[in-house]
Amino acid sequence: MAALAAALLSGCAAVPRPVPVPTFPDYVAPPPPDPVQLYADDRLRTMTLDEKIESMLMVHVPGLDPHEIARVASANGLGGVILMGDNVPDPASALADWSPVIAGERGLPVLIAIDQEGGVVRRIYPDDGPSAAELRGLDPSAARAAFADRGAMLKAHGISVNFGIVADVTGDPDSFIYDRSMGATPGDAAARVSEAVSGELGTVYSTLKHFPGHGVAPGDSHSSIPATGMSLDDWRAGHEEPFAAGIDAGAEFVMFGHLEFDALAALPATLSPMWHELLRDELGFKGIAITDDMNMLEHTGRPEYLDPVHNAVLAVAAGNTMLLYVQGVDVGAVVAGIHAAVDAGTIDAAVIDDAARRLLVMRRTLSGETGPFVHCFEACQAIID
């Protein structure tokens, strides 16, 4: 009997017991890596300090030759160019063919900016949409429609950045910014600024200007540095709201004005770390902080701002992501000066890395490409050459 039982059991396979599978009800899988962020990280690691600094410059190259503009941008490693009236052909529609030439590298295009506010400040014609002066008297929704049309027109011409949304508040008809401001009160201006940014979203990168606001003081920063003794509380009550509204609406750029708040900082806002910290920490701005035309500082005639290299070092140390030059600049001298400031410890190298990386992300996003960064190092370059 025992032998029979053993024989029967020997032909039977054991049935395995199910192994319980652990569950993690609170576990959330991490999102996949952002290919644009990975690209920026990888490319940043291959860049020299000078290349990073060069990418922080936006320059005007005079003339109607897109190949010359592209050559200057490429030779100097520029992150952007600004088109002025002398760069706009007749008809302006030719820009659609020029812009890819100027933008250069397909996977990391140079930013192409223009001042297209409408009204008294416009580089491309026709642009008969309502100006800021007209929008002041219209429902805020009109600002969305005006800048939606303006943004679509600029995109069709190959423009990627519009320095077009004035967030300055003034009710003074004698102010040089009055006809370019969308409101005499913070609330009026804020409502229209927010709508204008919403109108441009998805077409061009929007810019709010001129932070902290030209309405704080009389004078024109093209020839002087307007100064005010205004307190920070008064600024918050009268000039902060339009910038906050535009940032909340998604503006990608904030342009700093050459404005001096004597009671708060000994430097113009462009060169003041305090104002940059406020923009980042209090208003939560994550985008590109760009100066107004740096040449304007020299043209004030004030001796402390006659050296363009010194001004550039102060601007980067303050926290600007990008420096704008409309009226000419010795790129090599500026880059060398900022490099020397990093070597001396005046500027932390991390500040340069942060600015260069922000611009890499923006430019890569603009390209629409999502592939990894492939770098051709010296050995591979030798084969190509």
Side-chain angles (χ1 to χ4, degrees), residues 117-121 131-136 166 170 172-173 175-182:
E117 299 174 15
V120 296
V121 178
S131 66
E134 295 168 306
L135 290 170
R136 292 165 75 106
V166 174
T170 183
D172 179 6
S175 169
F176 91 98
I177 205 71
Y178 179 81
D179 288 336
R180 299 163 60 193
S181 167
M182 287 192 272

Side-chain angles (χ1 to χ4, degrees), residues 140 143 165-169 181-197 208 238-247 249:
I165 299 178
V166 174
D168 306 294
V169 180
S181 167
M182 287 192 272
T185 68
D188 284 348
R192 289 160 180 80
V193 166
S194 177
E195 291 289 334
V197 172
L208 309 176
H239 300 274
E240 178 183 36
E241 187 177 352
F243 290 99
I247 290 168

Side-chain angles (χ1 to χ4, degrees), residues 192-250:
R192 289 160 180 80
V193 166
S194 177
E195 291 289 334
V197 172
S198 297
E200 285 190 335
L201 282 178
T203 54
V204 291
Y205 292 134
S206 295
T207 308
L208 309 176
K209 61 184 187 184
H210 311 76
F211 189 79
H214 263 301
V216 301
D220 184 343
S221 59
H222 291 87
S223 55
S224 66
I225 298 178
T228 177
M230 181 179 291
S231 70
L232 189 56
D233 285 343
D234 287 343
W235 173 80
R236 288 188 175 116
H239 300 274
E240 178 183 36
E241 187 177 352
F243 290 99
I247 290 168
D248 289 345

Side-chain angles (χ1 to χ4, degrees), residues 84-135:
M84 302 299 288
D86 68 323
N87 301 125
V88 179
D90 184 13
S93 57
L95 280 173
D97 296 323
W98 291 13
S99 295
V101 175
I102 296 170
E105 185 181 340
R106 181 176 175 180
L108 194 73
V110 168
L111 298 171
I112 303 176
I114 204 163
D115 292 298
Q116 196 75 16
E117 299 174 15
V120 296
V121 178
R122 47 185 167 163
R123 310 297 181 212
I124 294 177
Y125 292 83
D127 179 351
D128 300 323
S131 66
E134 295 168 306
L135 290 170

